[in-house]
Amino acid sequence: MPIFDFENQSLTKLNELSGCSYEGIDVIYRSNSDIEGGLYTSTYDGFVQGIAKTAAKSGNPFIRLEINDSLIFEANGINKAYSYLWSPLFEVRKGDIIKYTITSDTNDSNKELRIYRHRA
């Protein structure tokens, strides 16, 4: 399926090599503690995703992601037990600065920032 490549002003084809590789996942942050103002500089091209989940204790999952000082995602989950909030995958390039806040207002939870490697 041809798509328009705006950077090169030409048509290009999507193929099986387009997208992310789920074999090369780096978990940058994983904890049951809330994190505000986390900072990471991407070491390769890929995709970033934030995850906030509660468990048996009620909480309010929240994710904010910024890339190079541009807000790209901000959302709240439902304030309850076993509430899940996952951001979409956002493309990042080597050297991009990612600022992240991932909270749930409870220590009975899981918060993660994942980086998926770009398929070559």
Side-chain angles (χ1 to χ4, degrees), residues 5-119:
D5 180 349
F6 288 96
E7 185 175 322
N8 296 314
Q9 297 293 307
S10 64
L11 286 175
T12 187
K13 279 191 157 186
L14 289 176
N15 59 44
E16 68 277 357
L17 298 178
S18 301
C20 63
S21 169
Y22 294 101
E23 295 172 5
I25 300 172
D26 290 339
V27 177
I28 304 306
Y29 178 81
R30 177 183 285 153
S31 180
N32 61 0
S33 300
D34 290 348
I35 183 159
E36 295 188 30
L39 189 63
Y40 173 74
T41 301
S42 184
T43 56
Y44 51 82
D45 294 346
F47 299 85
V48 64
Q49 180 180 46
I51 300 165
K53 304 183 279 189
T54 63
K57 293 181 185 177
S58 290
N60 184 20
F62 174 79
I63 300 171
R64 176 184 295 125
L65 298 175
E66 296 178 35
I67 298 176
N68 298 329
D69 292 323
S70 293
L71 180 64
I72 59 164
F73 183 81
E74 183 174 282
N76 280 74
I78 299 170
N79 191 351
K80 66 175 197 163
Y82 301 104
S83 182
Y84 300 90
L85 177 63
W86 295 60
S87 78
L89 296 174
F90 294 101
E91 191 169 15
V92 291
R93 297 287 182 200
K94 183 177 181 178
D96 282 351
I97 298 170
I98 303 164
K99 294 179 185 174
Y100 57 99
T101 296
I102 305 173
T103 63
S104 67
D105 302 327
T106 176
N107 63 359
D108 181 26
S109 61
N110 182 35
K111 293 97 174 177
E112 292 185 16
L113 182 73
R114 293 180 180 178
I115 304 292
Y116 300 84
R117 293 183 188 270
H118 194 277
R119 271 189 244 184

